[in-house]
Amino acid sequence: MARVPKYLAEWFAAQQWKLLPHQRAMLERYQNRESTLLIAPTGTGKTLSGFLPSLIDIHENAFKGLHTLYISPLKALTQDIERNLMNPVRDMGLNVTVESRTGDTGAYRRKRQREKPPNILLTTPESLMLLLSYGDAPEMFKNLQSIVVDEIHHMAPNKRGDLVTLAMAQLAELAPQHRRFGLSATVAEPQVLCDWLGPAGNPASLLEAKPGKAPKVSILGSEARIPYNGFMAKYAMEDIMCAIEKAKTSIVFVNTRAQAELVFQLLWDINKEAIPLGVYHSSLTREKRVKTLAMMAEGKLRSLVATSALELGVDWGDVDLVLQVGAPKGVSRLLQRIGRSNHKVNVPSKAYLVPANRFELLECKAAIEAIGQNQLDGELPGDGSHDVLIQFIMNQACSAPVHEARIYATITRSWSYRDLTREQFSALFRFTVDGGYALRAYERFQRLKLSVDGGYIPSDKWVVSRHRQNIGVIVESGKLKVKRLHGRGGKILGEVEEHFAQSLAPGDTFFFAGEVLEFISVRDMTLEARASKAREPRIPTYAGGQMPLSTHLADGVRHLLEDSSRWNELNKDIREWLQLQQKFSLLPGRQHFLIESFPRQKLFYSVFYTFEGRRANQTLGMLLSRRMDRLKLHPITFTVTDYGLAITTVEQVTQSHIDALLSADILFDELEEWLVESPMLKRSFRRVATIAGLVEQRNAGDRKTMKQVTFSTDLIYDVLRKYEPEHVLLRITRQDAERELLDTERLAAMLHQFQSNIAFKALPRPSPLSLPVILDVRTERVPGKGMELLLAQMSQQEVAEQLIEDVRHEVA
């Protein structure tokens, strides 16, 4: 049994807390030098559990230097942890220093932290890699005792997780005595994360805390008013405002930054009680984000409209309600957001879900059921990305000479790179040195040279400088600062993507930072605007933020659709919608793939009910459109939602076309042709080339424009395609595009599952279930002969109720 110091026991008592079993167990695991993955419900002192052993060890042994490294996925989370951790340090009078190190940390403080590091350093993957790139890294980290990886479920499955696992592999050499602790509230498959957390072949142990009180989750407002399509839930704003008024403090979560701006404005317009509201997303300036978080922590805001930037770990004890506007897209993600409410032991979180359309209602129902059955989902870590590995090799070389055999041994001790072959590594290493066969003739790509001891070092100081300025895996779209002019001066509010600015004309208005602005001009990478009194401005469109629908929730929606005995849980309007679909056509289930074809407005629609998410449906839409063009069906447009795909054609799709349209080779033939012709691989190459250090987002402190970066990468891409088509970066690019942009693995699984179970229905008019898909406002135009055949006279879309009324007459 681990010893609990008197001062710690007294501090817990003063807080009217009890040391929980998992917190005591973490003290014991630390003393036994046992790396551990802790899974504990939100509000049960999970993060404090990771620090308690360090606080005791540092204080009682008068430890000097860096003892504990805390790695978080978000800057906001490190700042929140720093604030909360200093309370027990001060209260108990502990001789412990705590500081954060992120991209927002000032130059003086960064320099001092390397010379005299705090006992506990709170950082992000990018800032950790920067520290490891300096020659004094061995000295700084040599006495490290503990690594704490927070929100590990969020970090491990992506490229930032690859950075972390490589950093831990390096730290295992610099400080072999350290333990590793992973923290999370929502893990679907714990053993995989235990494997990831430990070195290859030596997984961390698992510690699961007792489940907390089940959250209270319900759907807000009258389900009768839920529209057939849409994504803003505008119908429910009065209900949301009423819930905000009744709550002490609340967070309104949305899924994209554009939604955050619009929902904030909609709520502000009906805020009759003048309740202090805020908006928070990652495109706002650091100053505005920090100010908003501080106001929330101090109780100066009653409610905050926020994106996923706030779903991880930020702790405001007074938040007693969470609202999710739009479908959650994943059970684990929803639980993370719900956990921001009633952040206390044995106090159930309270949340309302606000679906924007009828399919989202079904998704919300499936999510609530999954929470009740404690069924989690989420992505799992896989093999590490090779572009990240190239960046790591360069990072090591900036610190000390690298030897190919030694660094290979280091890398393969990481679980994510355990299966990396020597042949694969050698190709990556050679690229890091000189760019490979097609690029080695250019001095620009000669990044490493041999040192006197036979290792490789940077070829000059500028290589080191460029690398350090561009560490990380977040490759953003080109952005412009948004400046609100006032008098002779102005204030920077945040950033928007370049492509949005290019769509504006002087006088256009848009939402940003909770304000309505009027566009004036673009000058020196700055979008200049002035405050506007317009009530219906344009909405900023952002490249990021589109969340994929989890496979688990998709299966839950299918199950709800096919089990009519459960429709009693739904209100009258939704039940009628499904019953009409059942009579008029079919309901998609878990055993078959439903395709409908029907005429509308002198064209023909084909609706594919995939339930595979917007990204996979986007890919399928492009592939099917190409194949339809070959079959002379003349496709014109396609529309995608998370649940389905609708393609309009001049000629009608019939049963005879189905086998040809959905044969397994569509993911080979059409995909290959499409990728060759489309700019997608070039966009994917830009990200890979940036992460691998072939081009930079920043140089000498200045951010390059997207035009500059794109020109550079397009030129390199064309050279490699012509002279070295098997180049390592082209291979990484293809793998990345298929996984991250196209979701081909998910599509392949769906086609395989339903290959012999396709239900085709030729209908005289749109079915009830098709309405949320065919009326979706986000439509893609398909190039090809079909556009030439589009008839000129196109009436406006009929309202959904009129279409439903037609179906009622049909089945009567």
Side-chain angles (χ1 to χ4, degrees), residues 138-329:
E139 181 66 23
M140 179 177 183
F141 292 101
K142 67 180 181 181
N143 295 319
L144 184 70
Q145 300 296 311
S146 179
I147 297 176
V148 180
V149 183
D150 205 356
E151 306 295 357
I152 189 172
H153 71 283
H154 180 82
M155 196 106 70
N158 55 51
K159 290 188 179 186
R160 297 184 81 205
D162 293 340
L163 278 182
V164 173
T165 192
L166 289 168
M168 291 193 298
Q170 184 178 354
L171 290 169
E173 294 187 350
L174 300 180
Q177 71 280 354
H178 79 260
R179 309 91 158 155
R180 301 175 185 178
F181 298 102
L183 309 176
S184 180
T186 53
V187 176
E189 296 189 33
Q191 191 52 54
V192 177
L193 287 185
C194 285
D195 293 338
W196 182 89
L197 183 61
N202 186 20
S205 63
L206 177 64
L207 174 61
E208 293 192 77
K210 181 181 177 182
K213 293 267 187 180
K216 296 180 178 179
V217 190
S218 57
I219 293 174
L220 180 68
S222 169
E223 296 178 14
R225 292 186 293 143
I226 296 178
Y228 292 94
N229 67 314
F231 62 100
M232 286 309 307
K234 190 174 180 179
Y235 75 95
M237 289 300 147
E238 293 282 356
D239 292 328
I240 294 172
M241 197 68 231
C242 184
I244 289 172
E245 291 170 357
K246 291 178 181 177
K248 183 176 180 181
T249 311
S250 60
I251 301 177
V252 181
F253 277 112
V254 295
N255 292 341
T256 70
R257 289 168 280 175
Q259 278 179 299
E261 292 286 348
L262 184 55
V263 168
F264 173 82
Q265 193 65 40
L266 290 172
L267 291 174
W268 190 256
D269 288 344
I270 59 173
N271 185 12
K272 298 173 184 175
E273 302 296 322
I275 290 173
L277 307 176
V279 62
Y280 186 96
H281 57 74
S282 58
S283 283
L284 300 175
T285 60
R286 173 183 177 271
E287 291 73 21
K288 192 164 185 67
R289 283 183 277 119
V290 169
K291 182 179 179 181
T292 301
L293 294 180
M295 290 177 67
M296 195 72 178
E298 294 163 9
K300 294 179 180 178
L301 292 177
R302 285 273 303 279
S303 189
L304 192 61
V305 180
T307 60
S308 57
L310 275 191
E311 73 186 24
L312 298 174
V314 178
D315 178 12
W316 295 306
D318 291 337
V319 173
D320 54 350
L321 177 65
V322 162
L323 299 103
Q324 166 66 41
V325 177
K329 304 305 168 195

Side-chain angles (χ1 to χ4, degrees), residues 87-101:
N87 292 331
V89 169
R90 281 192 298 265
D91 293 348
M92 290 184 274
L94 302 180
N95 184 25
V96 177
T97 55
V98 181
E99 290 186 13
S100 62
R101 168 68 179 254

Side-chain angles (χ1 to χ4, degrees), residues 631-656:
L631 295 173
K632 302 193 184 310
L633 294 168
H634 305 304
I636 295 171
T637 62
F638 70 85
T639 303
V640 298
T641 69
D642 279 314
Y643 317 101
L645 158 71
I647 304 179
T648 59
T649 55
V650 174
E651 304 296 332
Q652 185 164 21
V653 171
T654 66
Q655 177 77 58
S656 63

Side-chain angles (χ1 to χ4, degrees), residues 566-684:
R566 297 175 54 204
W567 295 354
N568 290 331
E569 306 166 17
L570 308 172
N571 79 346
K572 178 177 174 293
D573 284 356
I574 306 300
R575 282 201 308 273
E576 186 203 22
W577 177 52
L578 298 181
Q579 288 164 352
L580 281 173
Q581 174 70 20
Q582 197 174 43
K583 293 176 182 177
F584 184 66
S585 176
L586 286 175
L587 280 160
R590 292 179 297 173
Q591 304 304 318
H592 64 270
F593 179 17
L594 175 63
I595 302 170
E596 295 176 336
S597 176
F598 48 79
R600 182 166 183 259
Q601 295 177 335
K602 299 185 180 180
L603 290 171
F604 295 96
Y605 281 69
S606 298
V607 181
F608 302 77
Y609 296 95
T610 63
F611 298 90
E612 296 300 333
R614 186 175 294 275
R615 188 170 57 189
N617 287 341
Q618 182 89 7
T619 300
L620 186 61
M622 290 301 299
L623 300 182
L624 285 173
S625 296
R626 292 182 66 88
R627 189 154 283 194
M628 286 177 170
D629 215 28
R630 284 185 176 180
L631 295 173
K632 302 193 184 310
L633 294 168
H634 305 304
I636 295 171
T637 62
F638 70 85
T639 303
V640 298
T641 69
D642 279 314
Y643 317 101
L645 158 71
I647 304 179
T648 59
T649 55
V650 174
E651 304 296 332
Q652 185 164 21
V653 171
T654 66
Q655 177 77 58
S656 63
H657 295 116
I658 297 303
D659 287 344
L661 286 175
L662 291 174
S663 60
D665 63 4
I666 195 170
L667 286 178
F668 299 97
D669 298 346
E670 266 72 12
L671 180 62
E672 192 63 39
E673 289 183 14
W674 175 36
L675 285 176
V676 169
E677 296 173 10
S678 80
M680 178 167 291
L681 280 183
K682 282 192 174 181
R683 291 200 299 269
S684 184

